[in-house]
Amino acid sequence: METVLLCGKGGGDTLTETLVKTLEQYGKVLYAGEQKLQHTDPGFPDFFVREQENLPELCMKSGILVFKTGVRLKRSIRIPEGMRCVLNSRNHQTAELLGRMKIPAAACGMGSRDTLSIASLDFEGAVLSLQRNIFTLQGNLLEPHDFRVKVQGNAGPAQILTISMILLLLGLDSGEGFCIVSGAA
């Protein structure tokens, strides 16, 4: 089971709902939020998605840590080496703190310095560019490449980028492209 931890302000944010709907295409999902616990498919989950406002003490070897807007971080945080960090490149405060602490993070945005960016966007989806090497949770190296993302619903560019980065880090194959499903969980 792979863990995705979303830290930051909730409420009105559809990133989590879209992530859960998208992951359901790739396996069973167990979701735990501040006010909701959801496991619609019986059996052992493939993915555990946890959402909370503050960063907890991380006592785990690996997982994906997504820093949403409004996350509260202490000046000294400890992130295990096996964790993969993801943030929107407009989240300057978190990016600066992680940089000072030499904690690597994959930045998602529209700039040439971002790890993942949008090469083109149309009504059916987008073509994304992985602009630098990343390692999946399994330790596999992904080199820069472009891939197609189909979007069902109304996911915006920030959601498309963040969810696509999560799928890449989970080790899912981008060769056939990804499909992001937006909608209430």
Side-chain angles (χ1 to χ4, degrees):
M1 177 174 61
E2 302 293 358
T3 300
V4 180
L5 178 61
L6 301 156
C7 289
K9 290 184 180 177
D13 174 75
T14 59
L15 173 66
T16 305
E17 293 143 5
T18 302
L19 175 61
V20 169
K21 285 283 186 196
T22 300
L23 286 176
E24 286 175 344
Q25 300 175 102
Y26 300 98
K28 298 176 183 177
V29 179
L30 172 61
Y31 166 74
E34 299 287 338
Q35 303 295 320
K36 185 177 183 181
L37 179 63
Q38 174 184 327
H39 186 40
T40 54
D41 198 355
F44 190 76
D46 300 295
F47 308 105
F48 174 57
V49 177
R50 172 74 171 129
E51 180 180 35
Q52 62 185 74
E53 191 167 331
N54 299 317
L55 181 66
E57 179 182 353
L58 298 172
C59 301
M60 52 198 299
K61 290 184 180 182
S62 70
I64 299 171
L65 178 56
V66 179
F67 294 101
K68 295 175 21 177
T69 305
V71 65
R72 295 182 190 149
L73 298 176
K74 300 173 186 171
R75 291 193 185 267
S76 62
I77 56 175
R78 188 180 103 41
I79 297 177
E81 192 174 308
M83 295 294 291
R84 304 291 186 258
C85 298
V86 177
L87 70 148
N88 185 302
S89 61
R90 294 183 307 188
N91 191 345
H92 300 291
Q93 184 178 7
T94 302
E96 288 175 23
L97 177 62
L98 293 174
R100 281 195 307 269
M101 299 179 68
K102 298 189 180 355
I103 296 171
C108 300
M110 304 299 280
S112 61
R113 293 177 44 182
D114 293 317
T115 308
L116 186 64
S117 67
I118 295 179
S120 69
L121 188 63
D122 59 36
F123 291 109
E124 296 176 3
V127 174
L128 304 187
S129 283
L130 180 64
Q131 300 187 109
R132 52 191 69 5
N133 293 339
I134 61 170
F135 286 95
T136 67
L137 288 178
Q138 298 79 22
N140 298 324
L141 175 68
L142 290 182
E143 295 180 345
H145 66 282
D146 291 350
F147 59 96
R148 181 98 177 123
V149 176
K150 182 180 173 190
V151 178
Q152 295 178 1
N154 58 356
Q159 288 181 343
I160 293 169
L161 287 165
T162 301
I163 292 171
S164 295
M165 179 56 77
I166 291 168
L167 297 176
L168 288 170
L169 292 170
L170 286 169
L172 299 175
D173 184 10
S174 62
E176 298 295 319
F178 295 136
C179 181
I180 294 176
V181 181
S182 180

